[in-house]
Every structure is written in C-alpha cells, then in structure tokens.
Amino acid sequence: DIVMTQSPDSLAVSLGERATINCKSSQSVLYSSNNKNYLAWYQQKPGQPPKLLIYWASTRESGVPDRFSGSGSGTDFTLTISSLQAEDVATYYCHQYYSTPLTFGGGTKVQI
Amino acid sequence: QVQLQESGPGLVKPSQTLSLTCTVSGASVSSGDYYWSWIRQPAGKGLEWIGRIYTSGSTHYNPSLKSRVTISLDTSKNQFSLKLSSVTAADTAVYYCAKNWNYLDSWGQGTQVTVSS
C-alpha cells in the first residue's frame, strides 16, 4: 500500500494569510509513461462529503477559487491557500490514485 | 452532472451483513470509462477506501477488508451496491459512494451506519 503522510495535523492561519499543507507518499505516484502525478486534494467541511479541489497534483477543479493551488512531484506535494478566507475552514486530505488500494492522508485541519 | 445517493439501514447488528446501495443519476453505471467506489469514514477520523467496481463488473477491494466485501452492479436500476459481512463496532462509519475516473470526482452525501446490538 502507498502510505500518505500529511503535515501538520492542524494549523491556525489568520484571515488573508497563506496556509500550506504538505503531503508525502511512501512511493512515487508519478507515472512515467504520461508524466502525471496521480495525486488529488480534497476539502471536507463537517457533515459534508469531501469536495475535489485539485487533481493531477496541480490541476484545479472547475469552480475552485484560484487561491487554491497544488504543487509537487514524485513523493512530495503541497496544497497552498494563498489568502485564507473564512469559508476555507475545513479539513484537507491528499489522495493517491496511482495504485490500489487507493489511500488518503490523515487530514489537516485548517482553522482561523 | 453526476449525482450519487446512498441508501440502506442505519443500524446493523454485530456479526450481520451491512448492505448499502448507491443510486446514480447523470451517468450509466454500465458504460463509460469509470469505476464506482465505496469509501468510509469513522466519526472524527480519516477516509478509508473500501473498493470499486468497473463498468464491466470487474472489482478491486482493499486487502484489509477483502475477505468481507462484495461490490456489485444493478444495471437495470442504475445502482451499485456494497455488502460487508461479519460486521463489528469497528465498521461503524459514514459510508460514501463515489464516481471514480482515476481520482474520485463525484461523491454522494454519505450515510451513517452504526453497528450495535
């Protein structure tokens, strides 16, 4: 299994400030034949299902504000919220879809 | 736009079989290059992928649950189902169904299942 390790477990950020979440995979999720990283990011608010934010490590899902960005390759990835808004308070998960079993990071809780 | 809705009993007794159904609208469970997945989340904890089924009917299961899991398609009703046998309190969670083309791109709202006598 590919183990996904997120850091930190939680962070508090002031409104308008930057939030950075890290995700490390136990093996590379870069598929050499197409040069794509099989890594996605989700946002989950209490009582709601996860919402897809980023896929292929850096492609923003339609409708997701451009303050959310994803970067990284291979085994090390980052989700950045450039200017935190009140509605961004949530738990964020990274997810690898390179191989089964599909796995998720443990989550990072972002608070104001 | 694809929509998914989970349904099934909210309470299951220990040692019995948990059975859930996901009804899909906006896409066909039997055509297209998609998988249909089940994921669960215990209260206050992270996400665990249970398994998935392809439009052809082929399946992949999480090895941690493989001996107890069956996922199947009902093409006549445009649904897919989850059966988890010999449940214990550790199986108490919110269960989600999701459409899976590589990443999980559409999710149901989730259904709470509690295992208790």
Side-chain angles (χ1 to χ4, degrees):
Chain A
D1 299 10
I2 297 178
V3 177
M4 307 300 289
T5 304
Q6 282 183 239
S7 62
D9 292 337
S10 65
L11 75 161
V13 179
S14 300
L15 288 172
E17 295 300 304
R18 179 185 298 260
T20 301
I21 300 168
N22 299 303
C23 176
K24 188 174 183 68
S25 57
S26 61
Q27 64 189 75
S28 177
V29 298
L30 173 63
Y31 194 36
S32 56
S33 66
N34 60 10
N35 202 37
K36 287 181 180 290
N37 287 283
Y38 284 55
L39 190 285
W41 289 95
Y42 297 87
Q43 175 194 66
Q44 187 178 33
K45 297 180 179 179
Q48 296 184 20
K51 173 188 174 185
L52 178 66
L53 297 177
I54 303 282
Y55 55 92
W56 302 128
S58 61
T59 302
R60 201 178 301 114
E61 172 72 329
S62 176
V64 173
D66 61 6
R67 62 180 180 273
F68 291 93
S69 63
S71 63
S73 185
T75 61
D76 292 281
F77 301 91
T78 300
L79 175 70
T80 302
I81 310 173
S82 61
S83 176
L84 193 78
Q85 305 299 302
E87 61 265 32
D88 300 335
V89 169
T91 300
Y92 293 83
Y93 294 94
C94 61
H95 160 57
Q96 69 78 20
Y97 46 98
Y98 181 88
S99 66
T100 58
L102 307 184
T103 52
F104 299 86
T108 296
K109 189 171 187 178
V110 174
Q111 304 170 87
I112 303 292
Chain B
Q1 181 172 337
V2 179
Q3 293 188 318
L4 303 97
Q5 180 65 58
E6 306 86 352
S7 59
L11 182 64
V12 181
K13 289 182 166 50
S15 80
Q16 293 191 341
T17 296
L18 177 161
S19 295
L20 296 175
T21 296
C22 182
T23 301
V24 178
S25 58
S28 169
V29 298
S30 58
S31 64
D33 193 17
Y34 307 130
Y35 288 97
W36 304 97
S37 278
W38 287 98
I39 305 100
R40 69 181 183 179
Q41 185 174 36
K45 295 189 178 181
L47 299 158
E48 179 181 31
W49 178 76
I50 298 169
R52 68 186 183 187
I53 188 164
Y54 192 55
T55 51
S56 66
S58 64
T59 54
H60 298 114
Y61 298 136
N62 192 323
S64 66
L65 297 167
K66 186 174 183 177
S67 63
R68 299 195 290 132
V69 173
T70 303
I71 297 175
S72 59
L73 294 175
D74 185 339
T75 57
S76 66
K77 296 180 181 178
N78 211 38
Q79 297 173 336
F80 63 105
S81 298
L82 168 70
K83 291 188 186 301
L84 181 65
S85 64
S86 305
V87 298
T88 69
D91 296 309
T92 294
V94 175
Y95 285 75
Y96 295 101
C97 58
K99 175 172 157 282
N100 179 193
W101 175 76
N102 288 292
Y103 46 88
L104 297 151
D105 56 42
S106 301
W107 296 62
Q109 286 299 306
T111 187
Q112 171 69 46
V113 177
T114 301
V115 178
S116 175
S117 56

